[in-house]
C-alpha cells in the first residue's frame, strides 16, 4: 500500500534520555555518510520500501509500499544464501522501488533478525581501538558460537560507553549478506547502511522512564525478545520455527524471559512492553501477551516523529524501515 502525506500530527518533543545508537550499525559503506532517505525492509513473506522527504525542516513520509513475495522465493537462513528465486525477488523489489518512487542511489537495507547472530559481551571487557585488532578479537570470541566459518563473516560491534550493558556484537555470514546487496546493486541501489530489524526498532524506540522494558519483534517465522535497561539491551533472544506463529507459545517464551529478568538480572516490574506485530493482526496477540504480562503491551509506533498520512497495514510492515531511517539521525 502506498501513502502520501495529509494533514500531519505535530512532531514528538525531543528528550534527553539515552537511546542505543544502532542506526546503520551492522554495515556502513562510508565513514561519515549523510543520512539516507530511503529504506528497503526484507521480511519472510514480503518486501517493503519507505521513502522520506524533508519539508520545512520536518521529516515526511513521501511513500510507503509493501509487496508480497511468492511462496518459496525466500528462505531465512543464517548459514546459506536466502534467495531461492533471485530473479523473482529482484522483480518484486524493482516493482516496490518504482511504486515508492525510489531511484538509483544510497538506501538503508533492513534484514530479518534470524540472519544475524547477536552476542552481548559483559560490561568492562576492553576491546582494542584499532578496527583490525578489534575484529580479530571478536572473531576469536565468536568462533564457537556461530554456525558458520567466522572468518567468512562480517562482524560489527557497539560498546555502551556508560558501562551499563557491555558490548553488542553482530556477525552475519558474508554470502548471506552479499545475496541481498547484489540484488540491490543490480537495480542501482547502493546499501549505504545495513541494519537488523530488532536493533533498528531499539534505536528509534519512543522514550519513556528509566525502568527496564521489553521489545517483542514478532514476525512470520521468528520472534525476537530484547530486554532493555537504561537504553541498552541486556538480553536479546531470537526464536525461529513454526511455534513462533502460536500466540500461546510466544506468551510462554515471554514468561520465561520475565523470569530471567527477575532472577538473573535483578529486575523488578517492567515499565512497558513494545510490540511490533508483523505475524498477526495486533488485536489477536495483545490479549495473550497481556495475560502473561499483567498489563497490555503497547503497539510499536515508529511513525510518531514523522509527518504522514494514513499508513494502513504498512504501519507495522515497515516499522523496521522507519526505525532504521530515524535511528540513523542524531
Amino acid at each position: 500500500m502506498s501513502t502520501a502525506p495529509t494533514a500531519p500530527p505535530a512532531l514528538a518533543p525531543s528528550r534527553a534520555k539515552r537511546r542505543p545508537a544502532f542506526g546503520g550499525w551492522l554495515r556502513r559503506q562510508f565513514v561519515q555518510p549523510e543520512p539516507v532517505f530511503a529504506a528497503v525492509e526484507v521480511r519472510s513473506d514480503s518486501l517493503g520500501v519507505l521513502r522520506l522527504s524533508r519539508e520545512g525542516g520536518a521529516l515526511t513520509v513521501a511513500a510507503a509500499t509493501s509487496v508480497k513475495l511468492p511462496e518459496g522465493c525466500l528462505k531465512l537462513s543464517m548459514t546459506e544464501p536466502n534467495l531461492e528465486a533471485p530473479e523473482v525477488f529482484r522483480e518484486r523489489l524493482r516493482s516496490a522501488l518504482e511504486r515508492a518512487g525510489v531511484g538509483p542511489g544510497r538506501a538503508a537495507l533492513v534484514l530479518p533478525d534470524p540472519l544475524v547472530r547477536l552476542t552481548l559481551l559483559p560490561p568492562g571487557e576492553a576491546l582494542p581501538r584499532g578496527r583490525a585488532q578489534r575484529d580479530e578479537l571478536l572473531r576469536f570470541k565468536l568462533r564457537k558460537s556461530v554456525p558458520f566459518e567466522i572468518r567468512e563473516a562480517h562482524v560489527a560491534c557497539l560498546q555502551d560507553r556508560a558501562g551499563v550493558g557491555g558490548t553488542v556484537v553482530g556477525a552475519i555470514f558474508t554470502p548471506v549478506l552479499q545475496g541481498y546487496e547484489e540484488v540491490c546493486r543490480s537495480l542501482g541501489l547502493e546499501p549505504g547502511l545495513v541494519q537488523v530489524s530488532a536493533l533498528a526498532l531499539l534505536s528509534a524506540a519512543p522514550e519513556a522512564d528509566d525502568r527496564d522494558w521489553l521489545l517483542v519483534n514478532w514476525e512470520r517465522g521468528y520472534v525476537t525478545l530484547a530486554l532493555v535497561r537504561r537504553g541498552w539491551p541486556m538480553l536479546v533472544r531470537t526464536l525461529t520455527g513454526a511455534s513462533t506463529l502460536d500466540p500461546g507459545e510466544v506468551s510462554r517464551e515471554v514468561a520465561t524471559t520475565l523470569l530471567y529478568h527477575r532472577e538473573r538480572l535483578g529486575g523488578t516490574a517492567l515499565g512497558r512492553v513494545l510490540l511490533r506485530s508483523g505475524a498477526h493482526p495486533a488485536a489477536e496477540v495483545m490479549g495473550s501477551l497481556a495475560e502473561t504480562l499483567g498489563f497490555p503491551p503497547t503497539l510499536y509506533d515508529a511513525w510518531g516523529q514523522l509527518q504522514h498520512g494514513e499508513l494502513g497495514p504498512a504501519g507495522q510492515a515497515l516499522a523496521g524501515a522507519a526505525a532504521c531511517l530515524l535511528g540513523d539521525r542524531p
Side-chain angles (χ1 to χ4, degrees), residues 18 164 212-213 227-234 261 265-267:
R18 188 171 63 96
V164 174
D212 297 354
W213 60 277
L227 278 168
V228 181
R229 175 171 292 170
R230 281 180 275 173
W232 202 261
M234 304 297 291
H261 173 249
L265 299 180

Side-chain angles (χ1 to χ4, degrees), residues 258 273 286-297:
L258 296 180
V273 173
M286 297 284 271
S288 177
L289 290 179
E291 186 174 345
T292 299
L293 296 167
F295 59 89

Side-chain angles (χ1 to χ4, degrees), residues 12-312:
S14 62
R15 299 185 181 180
K17 292 186 182 293
R18 188 171 63 96
R19 293 190 298 188
F22 291 128
W25 161 79
L26 186 62
R27 179 163 181 164
R28 284 185 179 276
Q29 301 298 103
F30 306 96
V31 176
Q32 290 182 319
E34 290 295 317
V36 296
F37 286 83
V40 173
E41 181 163 11
V42 179
R43 302 169 68 220
S44 63
D45 60 353
S46 68
L47 278 171
V49 176
L50 173 65
R51 179 169 60 88
L52 303 182
S53 62
R54 191 178 291 280
E55 297 182 7
L59 284 172
T60 297
V61 176
T65 188
S66 180
V67 298
K68 281 289 186 183
L69 292 175
E71 191 76 26
C73 179
L74 189 67
K75 178 183 178 182
L76 300 187
S77 171
M78 192 182 291
T79 60
E80 55 189 27
N82 290 191
L83 305 186
E84 303 272 272
E87 283 305 314
V88 175
F89 184 91
R90 184 176 183 274
E91 288 309 309
R92 295 297 168 97
L93 178 56
R94 182 204 296 276
S95 173
L97 293 172
E98 290 177 352
R99 287 166 57 178
V102 175
R106 293 179 62 244
L109 176 61
V110 182
L111 297 176
D113 298 342
L115 308 192
V116 178
R117 174 57 56 86
L118 292 177
T119 302
L120 302 181
L121 301 182
E125 189 162 344
L127 295 175
R129 291 191 176 183
R131 179 168 181 174
Q133 294 84 356
R134 184 190 63 212
D135 286 358
E136 185 67 22
L137 178 60
L138 292 175
R139 291 177 193 279
F140 177 79
K141 288 179 176 292
L142 295 178
R143 71 192 191 285
K144 294 182 179 179
S145 63
V146 297
F148 44 78
E149 170 52 56
I150 190 61
R151 295 199 175 276
E152 296 181 29
H154 184 83
V155 177
C157 75
L158 190 66
Q159 287 183 282
D160 181 9
R161 300 300 181 185
V164 174
T167 302
V168 180
V169 183
I172 184 170
F173 193 38
T174 299
V176 171
L177 177 60
Q178 286 178 338
Y180 292 104
E181 289 185 326
E182 287 170 0
V183 170
C184 288
R185 292 189 179 113
S186 73
L187 296 172
L189 207 62
E190 177 60 41
L193 57 89
V194 181
Q195 184 56 287
V196 60
S197 175
L199 293 186
L201 296 171
L202 288 178
S203 73
E207 295 160 351
D209 56 36
D210 290 329
R211 291 179 293 173
D212 297 354
W213 60 277
L214 177 68
L215 169 71
V216 180
N217 184 29
W218 196 349
E219 282 280 30
R220 187 168 297 279
Y222 75 90
V223 60
T224 295
L225 307 174
L227 278 168
V228 181
R229 175 171 292 170
R230 281 180 275 173
W232 202 261
M234 304 297 291
L235 171 72
V236 180
R237 303 172 62 211
T238 295
L239 310 165
T240 60
S243 64
T244 62
L245 291 175
D246 181 347
E249 289 289 339
V250 172
S251 293
R252 283 187 280 275
E253 293 293 345
V254 168
T256 300
T257 302
L258 296 180
L259 183 65
Y260 181 91
H261 173 249
R262 184 172 64 251
E263 295 187 350
R264 300 291 298 275
L265 299 180
T268 55
L270 294 176
R272 59 177 175 161
V273 173
L274 296 184
L275 167 67
R276 189 268 184 95
S277 182
H280 299 279
E284 292 183 11
V285 299
M286 297 284 271
S288 177
L289 290 179
E291 186 174 345
T292 299
L293 296 167
F295 59 89
T298 300
L299 198 62
Y300 191 101
D301 179 14
W303 310 93
Q305 301 175 56
L306 299 169
Q307 296 185 357
H308 60 83
E310 178 59 40
L311 293 165

